[in-house]
């Protein structure tokens, strides 16, 4: 039953305050500059049936030191273009590859070990039609695409309570709920132990299967969330050289604690990198029609002073 | 408001006597809520709108992306009563404010379920439920919405010009109307339900004038387009949609939003706290927001945010 492992796209969720702040930055600070604006988004473990946890972007996203407990940080950048035309010609491939290069650099320098959130970045390209209060945007969370697909060798819905509790304890007390993934050791009688991915980083030299826990934003059974892709790339690519990994995909119950029944085990096999070292990046978000294309947000009703005045009557 | 800026901030605790909070107590109750339910978090909101009597990083509470699978008026009568019953059992005594909606008309539900369109026709809604929205308002809300449905959706001009890259076969797309992985029940009913899912960002702010928390709803439709605040009224039980929900400027965000007016909050909270005390529990001020959210849940029955039940209320 080996088949390519499928990942669920991380939906983007910029809210009104994000657009309002972006419009303000455009008018007062960036003006015609198309330089990337650094930004930070957050996601959390999936907590609802039938609804994935999105990458949340708010006005606080422009304050780079924004952190929340129980939310995983993802750095990225906003590219604010001046015309819709330039959005059409925007080098999306290049932008995605650029982000992957930064991820790669963090892998090579080892900074991703002390801060695994560096393994995922996003790019939001946007044209802001400020006369119409409409924002055309397209978000990419680039993932490295290997020549051969990552394979799923087994999937078990539901995990044992002890593993869940060990992860819960570690996640909240050690990382304030901000670590996207970590190593899980032990099991069965001995109980589980969690540790960050960095200490003893060469992990699994004699075990042929390493076990990691992953905070999973996906709601779909059998499809882990998108950020796992780059984690697997780290574990199995250059750095750790693992070939097979057991991943505990942790999802929340509604109260915000890991749920044993909603979480799942995935056995994953990664094909050897081979001689072809060129990295491809994938991850531009599909729009609401299911096609690859930008989305739009029309905020005239909330941002346009005229419409606000008339609706306040 | 002008009154708000002139009034002094409440400084003495009176949560038991009057059901009100000082800003410090609001923060303490918020900290408890965030600890008990990590899906809630503190936010600072817009810089220019920060209230000096609250810490910069604890201006208001938010929980995001809460699913709302159907409109309040579509709740079947039986289910509604069942939930209310549970609520009453749990709550020792239901305040008149809490117990409503049982009478929500179930007529026309079939028709409404058959209606696949995202932008529910509010006129039809008004007919079906005896309406949350006063007629004039409904009409004014509906016209722009109908227009928006056409102009707003993802119709980026000349979208065909965007070159479509080769599809990555390892992506699962979460697209509302496409087949969803692992959930291949494609009966018409199921599809309808999926199409009608809205999501809400819920925030709780501190209202200086009423000295209570205030509850705000910012909704998004299935395609993540912002809902007009008036449409959020469809997710408020009929009785309250008419009386207690208003559309106001959010105190910390750049938008207008549906909000449950706080004029009766202190009164209801006092009753709930009293009934807990009579039941031998001694609720502390930290539990205030947990109790508050539980009571608000009865006003927005289809917005699935109330998982505070598990939090230990008045245990100590």
């Amino acid at each position: 039953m080996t088949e390519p492992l499928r990942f669920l796209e991380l939906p983007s969720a910029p809210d009104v305050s994000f657009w309002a702040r972006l419009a303000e930055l455009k008018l007062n600070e960036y003006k015609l500059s198309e330089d990337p604006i650094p930004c930070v988004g957050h996601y959390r473990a999936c907590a609802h049936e039938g609804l994935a946890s999105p990458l949340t972007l708010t006005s606080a996203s422009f304050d780079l030191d924004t952190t929340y407990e129980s939310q995983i940080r993802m750095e990225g950048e906003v590219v604010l273009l001046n015309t819709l035309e330039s959005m059409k010609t925007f080098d999306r491939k290049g932008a995605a590859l650029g982000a992957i290069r930064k991820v790669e650099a963090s892998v090579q320098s080892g900074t991703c070990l002390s801060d695994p959130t560096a393994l995922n970045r996003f790019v939001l390209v946007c044209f802001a039609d400020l006369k119409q209060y409409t924002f055309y945007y397209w978000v990419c969370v680039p993932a490295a695409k290997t020549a051969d697909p990552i394979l799923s060798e087994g999937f078990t819905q539901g995990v044992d309570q002890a593993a869940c509790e060990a992860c819960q304890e570690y996640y909240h007390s050690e990382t304030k709920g901000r670590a996207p993934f970590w190593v899980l050791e032990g099991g069965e009688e001995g109980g589980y132990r969690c540790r960050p991915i960095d200490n003893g980083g060469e992990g699994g030299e004699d075990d042929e299967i390493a076990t990691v826990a992953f905070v999973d934003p996906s709601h779909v059974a059998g499809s882990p969330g998108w950020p796992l892709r780059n984690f697997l790339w780290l574990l199995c690519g250059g750095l750790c050289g693992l070939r097979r990994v057991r991943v505990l995909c942790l999802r929340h119950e509604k109260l915000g604690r890991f749920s044993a029944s909603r979480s799942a085990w995935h056995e994953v096999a990664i094909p050897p990198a081979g001689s072809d070292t060129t990295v491809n990046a994938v991850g531009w978000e599909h729009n609401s029609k299911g096609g690859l294309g930008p989305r739009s947000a029309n905020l005239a009703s909330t941002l346009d002073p005229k419409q606000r005045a008339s609706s306040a009557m | 408001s002008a009154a708000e800026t002139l009034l002094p901030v409440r400084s003495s605790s009176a949560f038991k006597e009057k059901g009100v909070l000082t800003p410090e107590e609001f923060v303490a109750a918020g900290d408890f809520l965030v600890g008990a339910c990590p899906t809630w978090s503190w936010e600072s909101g817009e810089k220019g709108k920060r209230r000096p009597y609250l810490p910069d990083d604890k201006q208001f509470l938010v929980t995001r992306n809460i699913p709302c699978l159907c409109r309040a008026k579509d709740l079947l009568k039986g289910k509604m009563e069942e939930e209310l019953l549970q609520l009453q059992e749990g709550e020792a005594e239901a305040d008149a404010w809490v117990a409503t909606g049982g009478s929500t008309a179930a007529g026309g539900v079939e028709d409404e379920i058959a209606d696949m369109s995202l932008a529910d026709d509010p006129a039809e809604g008004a007919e079906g439920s005896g309406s949350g929205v006063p007629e004039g308002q409904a009409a004014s809300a509906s016209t722009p919405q109908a227009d928006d449905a056409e102009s707003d959706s993802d119709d980026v001009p000349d979208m065909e010009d965007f070159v479509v890259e080769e599809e990555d076969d390892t992506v699962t797309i979460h697209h509302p109307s496409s087949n969803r992985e692992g959930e291949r029940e494609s009966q018409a009913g199921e599809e309808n339900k999926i199409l009608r899912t809205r999501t809400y960002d819920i925030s709780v702010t501190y209202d200086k004038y009423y000295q209570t928390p205030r509850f705000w709803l910012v909704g998004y439709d299935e395609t993540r387009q912002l809902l007009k605040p008036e449409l959020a009224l469809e997710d408020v039980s009929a009785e309250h949609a008419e009386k207690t929900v208003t559309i106001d400027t959010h105190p910390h965000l750049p938008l207008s939003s549906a909000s449950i007016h706080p004029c009766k909050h202190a009164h209801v909270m006092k009753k709930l706290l009293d009934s807990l005390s009579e039941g031998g529990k001694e609720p502390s001020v930290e539990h205030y927001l947990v109790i508050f959210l539980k009571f608000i849940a009865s006003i927005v029955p289809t917005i699935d945010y109330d998982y505070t039940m598990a939090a230990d209320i008045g245990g100590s």
Side-chain angles (χ1 to χ4, degrees):
Chain A
M1 59 164 287
T2 35
E3 51 182 36
L5 182 61
R6 294 165 66 90
F7 300 86
L8 186 80
E9 220 169 53
L10 185 65
S12 66
D15 80 347
V16 181
S17 70
F18 176 83
W19 297 122
R21 180 84 186 271
L22 189 63
E24 194 186 299
L25 283 171
K26 164 103 183 143
L27 288 171
N28 302 327
E29 230 174 279
Y30 283 81
K31 296 184 177 143
L32 290 179
S33 158
E34 292 188 347
D35 293 344
I37 306 171
C39 191
V40 57
H42 292 88
Y43 69 91
R44 52 168 79 233
C46 169
H48 298 284
E49 298 288 342
L51 194 65
S53 277
L55 178 67
T56 305
L57 299 166
T58 68
S59 60
S61 295
F62 296 100
D63 305 320
L64 295 183
D65 47 4
T66 302
T67 49
Y68 300 103
E69 291 213 4
S70 308
Q71 295 194 38
I72 292 157
R73 179 187 158 83
M74 192 191 289
E75 286 184 20
E77 59 197 29
V78 176
V79 182
L80 196 48
L81 301 172
N82 287 314
T83 60
L84 193 60
E85 202 53 40
S86 53
M87 194 152 161
K88 285 172 196 158
T89 57
F90 179 74
D91 179 14
R92 290 199 306 281
K93 211 166 217 166
L97 269 177
I100 279 292
R101 297 256 179 274
K102 285 186 185 166
V103 170
E104 220 176 359
S106 79
V107 170
Q108 273 153 10
S109 70
T111 48
C112 70
L113 289 179
S114 51
D115 178 17
T117 61
L119 283 165
N120 281 293
R121 298 183 62 82
F122 69 91
V123 179
L124 185 150
V125 54
C126 169
F127 165 65
D129 183 346
L130 295 182
K131 289 196 183 100
Q132 307 292 328
Y133 300 92
T134 299
F135 299 82
Y136 302 100
Y137 68 101
W138 203 348
V139 180
C140 180
V141 181
K145 185 169 158 68
T146 44
D148 297 304
I150 297 167
L151 298 175
S152 164
E153 295 197 316
F155 158 70
T156 323
Q157 183 70 47
V159 305
D160 58 320
Q161 194 65 38
C164 236
E165 276 163 18
C167 288
Q168 180 67 34
E169 167 75 19
Y170 173 78
Y171 187 58
H172 280 284
S173 58
E174 298 289 323
T175 78
K176 294 187 169 175
R178 291 174 196 157
F181 82 144
W182 57 88
V183 176
L184 188 62
E185 291 172 323
E188 303 301 323
E189 301 304 309
Y192 289 89
R193 289 177 309 281
C194 299
R195 64 169 172 86
I197 201 118
D198 61 333
N199 62 43
E202 72 277 6
E205 66 287 333
D206 41 356
D207 304 328
E208 65 149 1
I209 294 192
T211 303
V212 294
F214 163 65
V215 177
D216 191 359
S218 162
H219 67 285
V220 176
S223 289
W226 193 254
L228 180 62
R229 268 185 92 135
N230 283 349
F231 298 147
L232 292 176
W233 186 51
L234 164 77
L235 289 174
C236 307
L239 204 74
C240 304
L242 301 174
R243 293 291 322 286
R244 296 176 69 208
V245 185
R246 281 184 89 211
V247 184
L248 172 57
C249 288
L250 291 163
R251 297 182 186 172
H252 276 156
E253 36 84 14
K254 287 193 283 183
L255 197 61
R257 297 201 163 76
F258 293 131
S259 153
S261 61
R262 299 197 67 221
S263 300
W265 284 107
H266 280 272
E267 312 257 345
V268 176
I270 290 99
S275 55
D276 183 14
T277 51
T278 50
V279 175
N280 269 317
V282 288
W284 285 95
E285 188 183 11
H286 292 72
N287 62 19
S288 59
K289 288 176 182 152
L292 277 168
R295 291 169 175 256
S296 70
N298 182 337
L299 303 177
S301 62
T302 58
L303 298 185
D304 182 352
K306 276 185 223 149
Q307 285 207 28
R308 281 184 78 163
S310 70
S311 70
M313 297 293 277
Chain B
S1 68
E4 197 194 311
T5 49
L6 290 174
L7 275 168
V9 182
R10 165 166 285 279
S11 55
S12 61
S13 174
F15 89 98
K16 266 184 202 155
E17 298 75 26
K18 295 181 177 165
V20 296
L21 289 182
T22 67
E24 292 74 28
E25 288 173 328
F26 176 69
V27 171
D31 285 343
F32 179 84
L33 176 70
V34 170
C37 313
T39 40
W40 285 90
S41 54
W42 282 109
E43 299 229 348
S44 49
E46 300 226 295
K47 274 205 178 75
K49 295 185 172 180
R50 289 195 188 146
R51 302 296 197 266
Y53 44 84
L54 290 168
D56 278 357
D57 58 343
K58 293 182 178 179
Q59 292 278 312
F60 66 113
L61 291 151
V62 177
T63 182
R64 293 175 191 279
N65 204 40
I66 303 301
C68 178
L69 299 178
C70 62
R71 304 293 74 80
K73 62 180 185 248
D74 296 345
L75 260 195
L76 293 178
K77 202 178 170 188
K79 198 184 161 211
M80 191 85 165
E81 276 167 357
E82 192 183 304
E83 290 195 354
L84 280 164
L85 209 70
Q86 281 179 354
L87 207 122
Q88 286 164 10
E89 281 166 7
E91 203 62 279
E93 173 186 311
D95 190 270
W97 240 63
V98 176
T100 67
S103 60
T104 307
V109 167
E110 300 271 301
D111 297 12
E112 275 160 29
I113 287 178
D115 173 19
M116 303 257 303
S117 73
L118 261 173
D120 290 357
D121 181 359
E124 192 186 316
E127 226 176 326
S129 66
S131 175
V133 193
E135 258 177 49
Q137 211 176 343
S140 66
S142 80
T143 333
Q145 176 62 23
D147 294 343
D148 288 352
E150 273 153 39
S151 60
D152 261 21
S153 54
D154 270 335
D155 283 335
V156 173
D158 309 306
M159 203 156 66
E160 288 69 27
D161 294 0
F162 288 92
V163 186
V164 172
E165 298 163 48
E166 69 180 68
E167 299 256 352
D168 177 18
D169 55 1
T170 50
V171 190
T172 300
I173 310 159
H174 174 52
H175 181 243
S177 52
S178 71
N179 270 336
R180 301 201 301 176
E181 290 302 307
E183 284 177 43
R184 296 205 177 269
E185 309 156 53
S186 57
Q187 293 100 341
E190 187 68 17
E191 291 270 313
N192 268 320
K193 196 171 157 196
I194 291 167
L195 272 171
R196 297 164 67 84
T197 301
R198 292 174 172 178
T199 53
Y200 278 96
D201 290 350
I202 293 171
S203 48
V204 173
T205 61
Y206 179 74
D207 191 288
K208 186 183 161 198
Y209 183 84
Y210 290 100
Q211 302 166 351
T212 61
R214 182 163 183 176
F215 185 91
W216 300 83
L217 283 170
V218 179
Y220 297 88
D221 72 12
E222 184 77 24
T223 65
R224 280 221 51 97
Q225 289 289 337
L226 186 70
L227 282 181
K228 291 207 172 287
E230 291 80 6
L231 290 174
L233 294 178
E234 297 173 351
D235 294 312
V236 176
S237 70
E239 195 146 322
H240 295 291
E242 282 169 37
K243 287 183 192 162
T244 48
V245 178
T246 56
I247 291 164
D248 286 303
T249 307
H250 193 287
H252 300 283
L253 297 173
L255 51 85
S256 297
S257 149
S259 164
I260 298 177
H261 200 269
C263 54
K264 298 239 174 68
H265 284 2
H267 173 73
V268 175
M269 284 305 295
K270 163 128 179 70
K271 278 203 163 182
L272 291 173
L273 290 165
D274 284 351
S275 72
L276 278 172
S277 299
E278 280 161 25
K281 290 179 174 173
E282 209 45 59
S284 77
V285 77
E286 279 82 25
H287 302 131
Y288 187 102
L289 278 171
V290 173
I291 301 165
F292 173 77
L293 287 171
K294 214 166 138 184
F295 128 65
I296 296 287
S298 62
I299 301 177
V300 287
T302 54
I303 303 178
D304 188 15
Y305 78 89
D306 179 36
Y307 16 93
T308 54
M309 294 292 186
D312 185 24
I313 303 169
S316 55

